[in-house]
Amino acid sequence: MRLWELTARFNSFKRTNVILQHLRMSNHTNAAGEVLLERKGCAGVITLNRPKFLNALNFSMIRQIYPQLKKWEQDPETFLIIIKGVGGKAFCAGGDIRAISEAAKANQKLAQEFFREEYILNNAIDSCQKPYVALIHGITMGGGVGLSIHGQFRVATEKSLFAMPETAIGLFPDVGGGYFLPRLQGKLGYFLALTGFRLKGRDVYTAGIATHFVDSEKLSMLEADLLALKSPSKENIADVLDTYHTKSKIDQNKPFILEEHLDKINSWFSANSVEQIIEILQQDGSSFALEQLKAINKMSPTSLKITLRQLMEGSSKTLQEVLTMEYRLSQACMGGHDFHEGVRAVLIDKDQSPKWKPADLKEVTDEDLNNYFKSLGSSDLKF
């Protein structure tokens, strides 16, 4: 082999090593690059990068996002934080609940640590001193809602799909659902929480989940315009978002999908118990009422009762108090039957036929419910 070939090979090897070393040193990517953390222009940009899994949030991603968010919050050169997902299908379809269920069944710490650190991250987003812009393009559910709703700005597109479907897997709408859901207009949040109803496109904005709506073909231009701002104030950022929002054309004059049902939703979901809500829906008998009844009847009876109480109590609590309450609920669900059965039926065997225990609302007693809400003492979530 000629000397120049050896030199070329050596240089190429050296270059590769430098790159590898840089990647190892950099906290911007982990081994699989599941979340990218980059400084671009005036912003810190968080990119959820698990497109094959609809950018589902796992423990390692939480552990990377939180310290970086805190660093950017303190950094005088970082003026805003943008969070987005890769792949076009999803912003973030939720937490990696299959891994959590497996860990809980094996009595591993992950089931405690995941929820604890996820809720601490939700709170950090809420209290973040820098403007926080979530581009909620595509599926945004569960844990993905937790990464966006607590931020100052949430931008939906015609491809946005929002839901809190946890009652269908024996869980409850967590990540602060007990805080933001009862604060939506009327009883809309109670309806979304109990039925898992999906909102699409501009409806995500109309419902108050998003603060702005932008046509998806303009999303990359919006991001570029935000990054190009020079030392922007919160008002400068809001102005850019408002301009794009005002120019968006898709479904501009389309009425809210629930518009004609809102009065009924407010009346039905004002009832004080799940049993009463079911009775009222049966009495109403309209096709919309019966559709919601059908959805509710598929849900875990325990989850339904937990969720209604969670929202009623959360309506007068601070976000931190709600997250402390939800952490208690999460740990009780990990030790119960329905969450693991829901994960089995929906995600593992995919037979969509969970066998809930208890199977009847009547069998979920007030005493059972009180146990879910009980303090964990020294294991409680603290901020």
Side-chain angles (χ1 to χ4, degrees), residues 115-165:
F115 290 103
R116 185 182 293 277
E117 296 193 27
E118 181 183 26
Y119 296 174
I120 287 171
L121 175 58
N122 298 149
N123 179 64
I125 292 167
D126 175 72
S127 63
C128 184
Q129 296 303 301
K130 300 281 167 81
Y132 183 98
V133 180
L135 305 178
I136 53 172
H137 173 61
I139 300 164
T140 304
M141 296 185 184
V145 178
L147 290 177
S148 51
I149 193 99
H150 304 297
Q152 204 166 2
F153 302 111
R154 289 94 60 191
V155 182
T157 73
E158 75 281 4
K159 298 271 182 8
S160 296
L161 174 61
F162 164 91
M164 292 299 280

Short mmCIF file of all heavy atoms in Angstrom, two decimals, residues 115-165:
data_model
loop_
_atom_site.label_atom_id
_atom_site.label_comp_id
_atom_site.label_asym_id
_atom_site.label_seq_id
_atom_site.Cartn_x
_atom_site.Cartn_y
_atom_site.Cartn_z
N PHE A 115 -42.74 8.57 35.96
CA PHE A 115 -43.80 9.54 36.24
C PHE A 115 -43.27 10.72 37.04
O PHE A 115 -43.62 11.87 36.77
CB PHE A 115 -44.96 8.86 36.99
CG PHE A 115 -45.75 7.91 36.14
CD1 PHE A 115 -45.59 6.54 36.26
CD2 PHE A 115 -46.67 8.39 35.21
CE1 PHE A 115 -46.30 5.66 35.47
CE2 PHE A 115 -47.39 7.51 34.41
CZ PHE A 115 -47.21 6.15 34.53
N ARG A 116 -42.42 10.43 38.01
CA ARG A 116 -41.86 11.51 38.85
C ARG A 116 -41.13 12.53 37.96
O ARG A 116 -41.39 13.73 38.03
CB ARG A 116 -40.90 10.92 39.89
CG ARG A 116 -40.37 11.95 40.89
CD ARG A 116 -39.38 11.31 41.86
NE ARG A 116 -40.00 10.34 42.76
CZ ARG A 116 -40.63 10.66 43.91
NH1 ARG A 116 -40.72 11.92 44.28
NH2 ARG A 116 -41.16 9.73 44.67
N GLU A 117 -40.24 12.05 37.11
CA GLU A 117 -39.43 12.97 36.31
C GLU A 117 -40.22 13.59 35.16
O GLU A 117 -39.97 14.72 34.76
CB GLU A 117 -38.15 12.26 35.84
CG GLU A 117 -37.29 11.88 37.05
CD GLU A 117 -35.88 11.44 36.71
OE1 GLU A 117 -35.35 11.87 35.66
OE2 GLU A 117 -35.30 10.67 37.50
N GLU A 118 -41.20 12.85 34.64
CA GLU A 118 -42.05 13.42 33.59
C GLU A 118 -42.86 14.60 34.16
O GLU A 118 -42.95 15.66 33.54
CB GLU A 118 -43.02 12.36 33.04
CG GLU A 118 -43.91 12.91 31.93
CD GLU A 118 -44.94 11.91 31.41
OE1 GLU A 118 -45.34 11.00 32.17
OE2 GLU A 118 -45.35 12.07 30.25
N TYR A 119 -43.41 14.43 35.36
CA TYR A 119 -44.23 15.50 35.94
C TYR A 119 -43.37 16.69 36.35
O TYR A 119 -43.81 17.83 36.26
CB TYR A 119 -45.03 14.97 37.15
CG TYR A 119 -46.04 13.89 36.82
CD1 TYR A 119 -46.75 13.23 37.84
CD2 TYR A 119 -46.31 13.50 35.51
CE1 TYR A 119 -47.69 12.24 37.56
CE2 TYR A 119 -47.24 12.51 35.22
CZ TYR A 119 -47.93 11.87 36.25
OH TYR A 119 -48.85 10.90 35.99
N ILE A 120 -42.14 16.42 36.79
CA ILE A 120 -41.22 17.52 37.11
C ILE A 120 -40.89 18.31 35.84
O ILE A 120 -40.82 19.54 35.86
CB ILE A 120 -39.95 16.97 37.82
CG1 ILE A 120 -40.30 16.55 39.25
CG2 ILE A 120 -38.81 17.98 37.81
CD1 ILE A 120 -39.21 15.78 40.00
N LEU A 121 -40.75 17.60 34.71
CA LEU A 121 -40.52 18.27 33.43
C LEU A 121 -41.76 19.09 33.02
O LEU A 121 -41.63 20.23 32.57
CB LEU A 121 -40.17 17.23 32.35
CG LEU A 121 -40.04 17.75 30.91
CD1 LEU A 121 -38.97 18.85 30.80
CD2 LEU A 121 -39.71 16.61 29.95
N ASN A 122 -42.96 18.53 33.20
CA ASN A 122 -44.20 19.28 32.89
C ASN A 122 -44.24 20.59 33.66
O ASN A 122 -44.57 21.65 33.12
CB ASN A 122 -45.45 18.45 33.24
CG ASN A 122 -45.58 17.15 32.47
OD1 ASN A 122 -46.13 16.18 32.99
ND2 ASN A 122 -45.07 17.09 31.26
N ASN A 123 -43.88 20.52 34.93
CA ASN A 123 -43.87 21.72 35.78
C ASN A 123 -42.80 22.71 35.33
O ASN A 123 -43.03 23.93 35.34
CB ASN A 123 -43.66 21.32 37.24
CG ASN A 123 -43.63 22.54 38.14
OD1 ASN A 123 -44.61 23.25 38.28
ND2 ASN A 123 -42.48 22.81 38.72
N ALA A 124 -41.63 22.19 34.91
CA ALA A 124 -40.54 23.06 34.45
C ALA A 124 -40.94 23.81 33.18
O ALA A 124 -40.57 24.97 32.98
CB ALA A 124 -39.28 22.24 34.20
N ILE A 125 -41.72 23.16 32.32
CA ILE A 125 -42.21 23.82 31.10
C ILE A 125 -43.18 24.94 31.48
O ILE A 125 -43.13 26.05 30.95
CB ILE A 125 -42.87 22.79 30.15
CG1 ILE A 125 -41.81 21.83 29.60
CG2 ILE A 125 -43.64 23.49 29.02
CD1 ILE A 125 -42.36 20.58 28.91
N ASP A 126 -44.04 24.65 32.45
CA ASP A 126 -45.02 25.64 32.91
C ASP A 126 -44.33 26.87 33.51
O ASP A 126 -44.75 28.00 33.29
CB ASP A 126 -45.94 25.01 33.96
CG ASP A 126 -46.90 26.02 34.57
OD1 ASP A 126 -47.83 26.44 33.88
OD2 ASP A 126 -46.68 26.42 35.74
N SER A 127 -43.28 26.64 34.28
CA SER A 127 -42.64 27.76 34.99
C SER A 127 -41.47 28.35 34.21
O SER A 127 -40.78 29.25 34.70
CB SER A 127 -42.16 27.29 36.37
OG SER A 127 -41.16 26.30 36.21
N CYS A 128 -41.21 27.85 32.99
CA CYS A 128 -40.06 28.28 32.19
C CYS A 128 -40.09 29.80 31.96
O CYS A 128 -41.12 30.35 31.55
CB CYS A 128 -40.06 27.55 30.85
SG CYS A 128 -38.62 27.92 29.85
N GLN A 129 -38.97 30.44 32.24
CA GLN A 129 -38.89 31.91 32.13
C GLN A 129 -38.70 32.38 30.68
O GLN A 129 -38.81 33.56 30.40
CB GLN A 129 -37.72 32.43 32.99
CG GLN A 129 -37.89 32.17 34.47
CD GLN A 129 -39.19 32.77 35.03
OE1 GLN A 129 -39.41 33.97 34.95
NE2 GLN A 129 -40.07 31.92 35.54
N LYS A 130 -38.41 31.45 29.79
CA LYS A 130 -38.24 31.82 28.38
C LYS A 130 -39.51 31.43 27.61
O LYS A 130 -40.14 30.42 27.93
CB LYS A 130 -37.04 31.07 27.77
CG LYS A 130 -35.71 31.37 28.45
CD LYS A 130 -35.13 32.71 28.01
CE LYS A 130 -33.98 33.18 28.90
NZ LYS A 130 -32.69 32.56 28.58
N PRO A 131 -39.90 32.22 26.59
CA PRO A 131 -41.04 31.81 25.77
C PRO A 131 -40.80 30.41 25.21
O PRO A 131 -39.69 30.08 24.77
CB PRO A 131 -41.07 32.86 24.66
CG PRO A 131 -40.37 34.05 25.24
CD PRO A 131 -39.31 33.50 26.15
N TYR A 132 -41.83 29.59 25.26
CA TYR A 132 -41.72 28.17 24.87
C TYR A 132 -42.76 27.93 23.78
O TYR A 132 -43.95 28.18 23.99
CB TYR A 132 -42.00 27.33 26.13
CG TYR A 132 -41.89 25.83 25.99
CD1 TYR A 132 -40.73 25.15 26.38
CD2 TYR A 132 -42.96 25.06 25.52
CE1 TYR A 132 -40.63 23.77 26.31
CE2 TYR A 132 -42.88 23.67 25.45
CZ TYR A 132 -41.71 23.03 25.85
OH TYR A 132 -41.62 21.65 25.78
N VAL A 133 -42.29 27.49 22.61
CA VAL A 133 -43.18 27.32 21.46
C VAL A 133 -43.22 25.83 21.08
O VAL A 133 -42.19 25.26 20.69
CB VAL A 133 -42.68 28.15 20.24
CG1 VAL A 133 -43.61 27.96 19.04
CG2 VAL A 133 -42.56 29.63 20.61
N ALA A 134 -44.38 25.22 21.20
CA ALA A 134 -44.54 23.81 20.81
C ALA A 134 -45.25 23.74 19.47
O ALA A 134 -46.34 24.29 19.31
CB ALA A 134 -45.34 23.06 21.88
N LEU A 135 -44.61 23.08 18.49
CA LEU A 135 -45.21 22.92 17.16
C LEU A 135 -45.93 21.57 17.15
O LEU A 135 -45.32 20.53 16.88
CB LEU A 135 -44.12 22.99 16.08
CG LEU A 135 -43.25 24.26 16.12
CD1 LEU A 135 -42.16 24.20 15.05
CD2 LEU A 135 -44.09 25.53 15.97
N ILE A 136 -47.22 21.59 17.50
CA ILE A 136 -47.94 20.32 17.71
C ILE A 136 -48.59 19.84 16.41
O ILE A 136 -49.80 19.71 16.30
CB ILE A 136 -48.94 20.41 18.89
CG1 ILE A 136 -49.90 21.58 18.75
CG2 ILE A 136 -48.18 20.51 20.22
CD1 ILE A 136 -51.02 21.59 19.79
N HIS A 137 -47.73 19.56 15.45
CA HIS A 137 -48.14 19.08 14.12
C HIS A 137 -48.25 17.56 14.19
O HIS A 137 -47.31 16.88 14.59
CB HIS A 137 -47.05 19.52 13.13
CG HIS A 137 -47.22 18.99 11.75
ND1 HIS A 137 -48.32 19.26 10.97
CD2 HIS A 137 -46.41 18.20 10.99
CE1 HIS A 137 -48.18 18.66 9.79
NE2 HIS A 137 -47.03 18.01 9.78
N GLY A 138 -49.41 17.02 13.83
CA GLY A 138 -49.59 15.57 13.89
C GLY A 138 -50.16 15.13 15.23
O GLY A 138 -50.71 15.92 15.99
N ILE A 139 -50.01 13.84 15.53
CA ILE A 139 -50.62 13.25 16.72
C ILE A 139 -49.99 13.83 17.99
O ILE A 139 -48.76 13.84 18.14
CB ILE A 139 -50.45 11.71 16.71
CG1 ILE A 139 -51.11 11.10 15.47
CG2 ILE A 139 -51.02 11.08 17.98
CD1 ILE A 139 -50.68 9.66 15.18
N THR A 140 -50.83 14.33 18.87
CA THR A 140 -50.38 14.90 20.14
C THR A 140 -51.29 14.36 21.22
O THR A 140 -52.43 14.82 21.37
CB THR A 140 -50.44 16.45 20.09
OG1 THR A 140 -49.66 16.91 18.97
CG2 THR A 140 -49.91 17.06 21.38
N MET A 141 -50.82 13.36 21.94
CA MET A 141 -51.66 12.70 22.95
C MET A 141 -50.85 12.49 24.23
O MET A 141 -49.63 12.40 24.20
CB MET A 141 -52.17 11.36 22.44
CG MET A 141 -53.09 11.46 21.23
SD MET A 141 -53.75 9.82 20.78
CE MET A 141 -54.65 10.24 19.28
N GLY A 142 -51.57 12.37 25.35
CA GLY A 142 -50.94 11.98 26.62
C GLY A 142 -49.66 12.76 26.90
O GLY A 142 -49.67 13.98 27.03
N GLY A 143 -48.54 12.02 27.00
CA GLY A 143 -47.26 12.64 27.31
C GLY A 143 -46.86 13.74 26.35
O GLY A 143 -46.15 14.68 26.73
N GLY A 144 -47.33 13.67 25.10
CA GLY A 144 -47.06 14.73 24.13
C GLY A 144 -47.80 16.01 24.47
O GLY A 144 -47.31 17.12 24.23
N VAL A 145 -48.97 15.85 25.05
CA VAL A 145 -49.73 17.02 25.52
C VAL A 145 -48.96 17.65 26.69
O VAL A 145 -48.85 18.88 26.79
CB VAL A 145 -51.17 16.62 25.92
CG1 VAL A 145 -51.94 17.82 26.46
CG2 VAL A 145 -51.91 16.02 24.72
N GLY A 146 -48.40 16.81 27.56
CA GLY A 146 -47.63 17.31 28.69
C GLY A 146 -46.41 18.12 28.28
O GLY A 146 -45.99 19.04 28.98
N LEU A 147 -45.83 17.80 27.10
CA LEU A 147 -44.65 18.52 26.61
C LEU A 147 -45.02 19.83 25.92
O LEU A 147 -44.15 20.60 25.55
CB LEU A 147 -43.89 17.66 25.59
CG LEU A 147 -43.15 16.43 26.12
CD1 LEU A 147 -42.52 15.67 24.96
CD2 LEU A 147 -42.07 16.84 27.13
N SER A 148 -46.32 20.06 25.71
CA SER A 148 -46.74 21.24 24.94
C SER A 148 -47.69 22.16 25.68
O SER A 148 -47.48 23.37 25.75
CB SER A 148 -47.37 20.78 23.62
OG SER A 148 -48.38 19.81 23.85
N ILE A 149 -48.73 21.61 26.27
CA ILE A 149 -49.84 22.42 26.82
C ILE A 149 -49.39 23.40 27.90
O ILE A 149 -49.99 24.46 28.07
CB ILE A 149 -50.98 21.50 27.35
CG1 ILE A 149 -52.25 22.30 27.61
CG2 ILE A 149 -50.58 20.74 28.60
CD1 ILE A 149 -53.27 22.23 26.54
N HIS A 150 -48.34 23.05 28.64
CA HIS A 150 -47.90 23.92 29.74
C HIS A 150 -47.01 25.06 29.25
O HIS A 150 -46.66 25.95 30.02
CB HIS A 150 -47.19 23.09 30.82
CG HIS A 150 -48.04 21.97 31.34
ND1 HIS A 150 -49.23 22.19 32.00
CD2 HIS A 150 -47.91 20.62 31.24
CE1 HIS A 150 -49.78 21.02 32.31
NE2 HIS A 150 -49.00 20.06 31.85
N GLY A 151 -46.64 25.02 27.97
CA GLY A 151 -45.82 26.08 27.39
C GLY A 151 -46.68 27.27 27.01
O GLY A 151 -47.90 27.16 26.84
N GLN A 152 -46.01 28.39 26.80
CA GLN A 152 -46.73 29.63 26.53
C GLN A 152 -47.45 29.63 25.19
O GLN A 152 -48.55 30.13 25.05
CB GLN A 152 -45.68 30.74 26.53
CG GLN A 152 -46.25 32.07 26.84
CD GLN A 152 -45.12 33.06 27.16
OE1 GLN A 152 -43.95 32.74 27.10
NE2 GLN A 152 -45.51 34.24 27.49
N PHE A 153 -46.80 29.03 24.16
CA PHE A 153 -47.38 29.03 22.81
C PHE A 153 -47.47 27.60 22.28
O PHE A 153 -46.49 26.85 22.35
CB PHE A 153 -46.50 29.86 21.86
CG PHE A 153 -46.30 31.29 22.30
CD1 PHE A 153 -45.06 31.74 22.73
CD2 PHE A 153 -47.36 32.20 22.26
CE1 PHE A 153 -44.86 33.05 23.13
CE2 PHE A 153 -47.17 33.52 22.66
CZ PHE A 153 -45.93 33.96 23.10
N ARG A 154 -48.63 27.26 21.73
CA ARG A 154 -48.81 25.93 21.10
C ARG A 154 -49.41 26.16 19.72
O ARG A 154 -50.49 26.75 19.60
CB ARG A 154 -49.77 25.06 21.91
CG ARG A 154 -49.22 24.56 23.23
CD ARG A 154 -49.57 25.42 24.41
NE ARG A 154 -51.00 25.56 24.63
CZ ARG A 154 -51.53 26.43 25.47
NH1 ARG A 154 -50.78 27.26 26.16
NH2 ARG A 154 -52.84 26.50 25.61
N VAL A 155 -48.70 25.69 18.70
CA VAL A 155 -49.11 25.94 17.32
C VAL A 155 -49.65 24.66 16.70
O VAL A 155 -48.91 23.68 16.52
CB VAL A 155 -47.91 26.46 16.48
CG1 VAL A 155 -48.35 26.77 15.06
CG2 VAL A 155 -47.29 27.70 17.14
N ALA A 156 -50.93 24.65 16.37
CA ALA A 156 -51.56 23.50 15.72
C ALA A 156 -51.55 23.70 14.20
O ALA A 156 -51.42 24.82 13.72
CB ALA A 156 -52.99 23.32 16.21
N THR A 157 -51.68 22.60 13.47
CA THR A 157 -51.85 22.66 12.01
C THR A 157 -53.07 21.81 11.65
O THR A 157 -53.67 21.17 12.52
CB THR A 157 -50.63 22.07 11.26
OG1 THR A 157 -50.66 20.63 11.42
CG2 THR A 157 -49.31 22.61 11.79
N GLU A 158 -53.42 21.76 10.36
CA GLU A 158 -54.57 20.94 9.93
C GLU A 158 -54.33 19.45 10.18
O GLU A 158 -55.25 18.65 10.18
CB GLU A 158 -54.91 21.21 8.46
CG GLU A 158 -53.98 20.59 7.43
CD GLU A 158 -52.66 21.34 7.22
OE1 GLU A 158 -52.40 22.35 7.93
OE2 GLU A 158 -51.89 20.93 6.34
N LYS A 159 -53.05 19.08 10.43
CA LYS A 159 -52.73 17.67 10.69
C LYS A 159 -52.70 17.34 12.19
O LYS A 159 -52.44 16.19 12.56
CB LYS A 159 -51.36 17.33 10.08
CG LYS A 159 -51.28 17.48 8.56
CD LYS A 159 -51.67 16.21 7.89
CE LYS A 159 -51.62 16.15 6.38
NZ LYS A 159 -51.03 17.21 5.63
N SER A 160 -52.94 18.32 13.04
CA SER A 160 -52.91 18.06 14.48
C SER A 160 -54.05 17.12 14.88
O SER A 160 -55.16 17.22 14.36
CB SER A 160 -53.04 19.37 15.27
OG SER A 160 -51.93 20.20 15.03
N LEU A 161 -53.74 16.21 15.79
CA LEU A 161 -54.75 15.30 16.32
C LEU A 161 -54.51 15.20 17.83
O LEU A 161 -53.50 14.66 18.28
CB LEU A 161 -54.60 13.92 15.67
CG LEU A 161 -55.50 12.80 16.21
CD1 LEU A 161 -56.96 13.13 16.04
CD2 LEU A 161 -55.18 11.47 15.54
N PHE A 162 -55.45 15.77 18.59
CA PHE A 162 -55.31 15.81 20.05
C PHE A 162 -56.26 14.82 20.70
O PHE A 162 -57.43 14.70 20.31
CB PHE A 162 -55.65 17.22 20.56
CG PHE A 162 -55.92 17.27 22.05
CD1 PHE A 162 -54.89 17.54 22.95
CD2 PHE A 162 -57.20 17.04 22.56
CE1 PHE A 162 -55.13 17.56 24.33
CE2 PHE A 162 -57.45 17.06 23.94
CZ PHE A 162 -56.41 17.32 24.81
N ALA A 163 -55.78 14.11 21.71
CA ALA A 163 -56.67 13.32 22.57
C ALA A 163 -55.97 13.00 23.87
O ALA A 163 -54.74 12.99 23.96
CB ALA A 163 -57.10 12.02 21.88
N MET A 164 -56.79 12.78 24.91
CA MET A 164 -56.30 12.25 26.18
C MET A 164 -57.05 10.92 26.36
O MET A 164 -58.11 10.87 27.00
CB MET A 164 -56.60 13.22 27.33
CG MET A 164 -55.82 14.52 27.27
SD MET A 164 -54.02 14.35 27.35
CE MET A 164 -53.75 14.11 29.10
N PRO A 165 -56.53 9.84 25.77
CA PRO A 165 -57.30 8.58 25.70
C PRO A 165 -57.04 7.60 26.84
O PRO A 165 -57.31 6.41 26.73
CB PRO A 165 -56.81 7.99 24.38
CG PRO A 165 -55.39 8.46 24.26
CD PRO A 165 -55.28 9.76 25.02
#
